Amino acid sequence: MELSKRILVTGGSGFLGSHLCERLLEEGNEVLCVDNFYTGTKNNILHLLDNPFFESIRHDVTFPLYLEVDEIYNLACPASPIHYQHDPVQTTKTSVHGAINMLGLAKRIKAKIFQASTSEVYGDPEVHPQTEKYWGKVNPIGLRSCYDEGKRCAETLFFDYYRQHSIRIKVARIFNTYGPRMHPNDGRVVSNFIVQALRNKPITVYGSGKQTRSFCFVDDLIDAFVKFMQSDDHLIGPINLGNPAECSILYLAEKIIDIIGSKSMIEMKPLPSDDPKQRKPDITVAKKELNWEPNISLDDGLNKTIEYFDKMLFVSN
Ligand code: NAD
Ligand code: UDP
Ligand code: UDP
C-alpha cells in the first residue's frame, strides 16, 4: 500500500483533471486542485468538495504559486482547438509561464512533476504511427501553433530543469481522449458529434472526414497517468499515452449515429487550417515500461460517454 501523499493537480477542474483528482482521492491521497476555470467548471468537481482531503483553489498558473506538496500533475491548459485559439497569447503563456512556475515550485519543494504534453507536438506527422523518437512537423506560425509550440516549449523546459536542476520529471504525450465531463460546447469531435446526434441535429464533419484519430477512453488514460507517476525516477519520458485503435472521422460520425439511433444527417464543413491528416500512437514504450495498455473499446467508451451526455442534456432541457 502506497503512503498517502499531498498532490497538486493544475487544471484539476477540467475534463481529465477532474477524473485524476477523483482517482487520487480514491487512492487515499490529499488533493489540491488549482484551476482558473477558463474551460473547466465547478460542476466537474462538485462531488469532491465535501471531501476534507480535497481543496479547490482558484488560481492562474501563469502567476507564481507557493504551496507544499509531494507531487505535481501539470494539466492546466485549454485543450480544444476552439478554446485554445480563442485567446492564443494566453494559451502560450499558460503552457510556457505555467511550466516555468510549476517547475520552479517543484524545484523549491523537491516535488516530482508530471507534464500533460500532447500528440500535437508531432504536428501533421509524416511518420505513422508516431513514436516518441519522431520530432514532428509543426507549423510555428499557424492557428494551432499557440498550443503546439507552447507544449513543445514546455517539454523543453521540463528537460532543461531535469538536466540543470535534477528535477524528477514525467512527460506524457497524450493522444485524443474522450469521456464523461467533456464540456458539451467544448468543440472537440467526440463531444460535438454526441451532442449533435442526441439532438438529431446535423453532424458536422470537417473536410472529407477521411482524416484519422485514435481515441482513448478517459479511465484507461488516468490509469496510465498514475502508473507513470509511480514508476521509477529514471523513467522520465516523453511517453506516448493513448489508444492505437485508429479510425476516420467519418467512421466515428457513423458509429455515433448508429449507437444512438439518431436521425442526424452528416453535414460536410470546411477543414480547419493545419488539421493533422492522421494520428495514431505507437505505445510500445508505455506497454514495456509501464505495463499499460488501454482496454476499453471504442464502443464501450462511447456508450458510457453517450449515457453521460444524455443525462446532462435531459436535465438542462
Ligand atoms: P480541459 O480544457 O477540460 O481542461 C484544462 C483545464 O485547465 C481547465 O479546467 C481550465 O480551466 C484549466 N486552465 C486553463 N488555463 C489555465 C491557467 N492559466 N491556470 C489555471 N488553470 C487553467 O482539457 P483536458 O482535455 O482536460 O486537458 C487537460 C490537459 O491534458 C491539457 O494540458 C491538455 O493540453 C492535455 N491533453 C489533453 C488531451 C485530450 O484529448 N483530452 C490530449 C492531449 C493533451
Ligand atoms: N515559483 C513558484 N513557486 C515556488 C517557486 C518558484 O511559482 O514555490 C516560480 C517563480 O516565480 C519563478 C519560477 O517559478 O518565476 C521559476 O523558478 P526558478 O527558481 O526556477 O527561477 P528563478 O526564481 O530563479 O527565476
Ligand atoms: N472535427 C470534425 N467535426 C467537429 C469537430 C472536429 O470533423 O465537429 C474533426 C477535426 O477537424 C479533426 C478531428 O475531428 O480532424 C479531431 O478534432 P478535435 O478538435 O477533437 O481534436 P484534434 O484536432 O486536436 O485532434
Side-chain angles (χ1 to χ4, degrees):
M1 177 82 186
E2 282 269 324
L3 281 180
S4 165
K5 284 170 287 207
R6 195 183 297 168
I7 303 177
L8 168 64
V9 179
T10 77
S13 309
F15 161 49
L16 296 179
S18 63
H19 286 274
L20 178 62
C21 289
E22 201 173 86
R23 173 73 62 90
L24 296 171
L25 286 167
E26 277 166 18
E27 291 183 354
N29 301 293
E30 196 174 326
V31 174
L32 279 72
C33 164
V34 160
D35 204 296
N36 67 350
F37 300 108
Y38 183 58
T39 52
T41 107
K42 277 210 172 145
N43 283 329
N44 285 341
I45 51 163
L46 217 50
H47 62 299
L48 305 177
L49 291 175
D50 283 345
N51 187 328
F53 296 101
F54 180 75
E55 212 171 317
S56 164
I57 303 161
R58 183 187 291 266
H59 175 81
D60 182 330
V61 294
T62 61
F63 296 99
L65 178 66
Y66 289 85
L67 32 78
E68 318 299 317
V69 291
D70 304 303
E71 291 177 355
I72 304 168
Y73 285 86
N74 187 36
L75 272 63
C77 185
S80 139
I82 292 183
H83 288 138
Y84 70 64
Q85 289 170 25
H86 174 71
D87 186 349
V89 173
Q90 174 65 16
T91 299
T92 304
K93 282 186 189 170
T94 293
S95 278
V96 177
H97 292 180
I100 292 174
N101 287 328
M102 292 309 105
L103 285 161
L105 173 65
K107 184 177 110 188
R108 181 180 63 78
I109 61 178
K110 300 186 172 46
K112 190 160 34 166
I113 181 165
F114 171 103
Q115 168 66 357
S117 190
T118 167
S119 52
E120 285 285 319
V121 301
Y122 301 123
D124 189 6
E126 300 131 311
V127 168
H128 194 72
Q130 292 79 56
T131 65
E132 291 86 350
K133 288 203 167 68
Y134 178 49
W135 289 355
K137 182 181 160 228
V138 175
N139 176 356
I141 56 166
L143 296 179
R144 293 176 87 101
S145 313
C146 58
Y147 184 74
D148 301 7
E149 297 289 19
K151 290 283 188 180
R152 285 170 69 97
C153 182
E155 285 199 8
T156 309
L157 285 161
F158 268 72
F159 277 80
D160 282 335
Y161 268 80
Y162 166 74
R163 285 183 286 254
Q164 204 173 325
H165 299 300
S166 306
I167 306 284
R168 289 174 297 156
I169 61 163
K170 303 276 177 190
V171 176
R173 290 186 179 151
I174 305 163
F175 284 64
N176 297 66
T177 302
Y178 68 99
R181 299 204 204 114
M182 293 184 90
H183 199 282
N185 300 324
D186 175 281
R188 279 179 280 187
V189 69
V190 176
S191 44
N192 265 13
F193 285 2
I194 291 178
V195 171
Q196 290 162 345
L198 285 170
R199 292 180 167 151
N200 293 307
K201 295 267 170 61
I203 307 280
T204 53
V205 170
Y206 303 157
S208 66
K210 286 191 187 143
Q211 69 273 31
T212 68
R213 294 294 186 273
S214 308
F215 296 100
C216 184
F217 187 67
V218 60
D219 292 0
D220 276 334
L221 188 79
I222 301 298
D223 285 345
F225 280 17
V226 172
K227 279 196 161 184
F228 189 16
M229 191 59 130
Q230 287 171 358
S231 66
D232 193 277
D233 283 351
H234 83 271
L235 197 66
I236 58 175
I239 294 190
N240 287 342
L241 298 179
N243 190 325
E246 183 184 13
C247 72
S248 74
I249 296 305
L250 202 53
Y251 173 86
L252 179 74
E254 283 161 356
K255 167 110 337 277
I256 289 173
I257 291 174
D258 189 45
I259 297 179
I260 293 178
S262 167
K263 296 190 192 68
S264 294
M265 305 295 282
I266 287 178
E267 186 182 9
M268 301 311 234
K269 296 260 201 179
L271 189 69
S273 68
D274 295 334
D275 198 282
K277 284 181 273 310
Q278 53 181 4
R279 186 183 288 155
K280 169 181 169 160
D282 180 319
I283 58 164
T284 311
V285 176
K287 276 187 184 162
K288 180 167 174 278
E289 301 289 347
L290 302 178
N291 192 22
W292 171 87
E293 65 181 313
N295 53 37
I296 299 167
S297 68
L298 184 62
D299 273 77
D300 287 351
L302 286 177
N303 271 305
K304 288 177 207 267
T305 313
I306 289 166
E307 199 183 315
Y308 167 81
F309 279 109
D310 199 15
K311 273 197 201 125
M312 174 195 255
L313 298 181
F314 181 76
V315 171
S316 63
N317 276 336

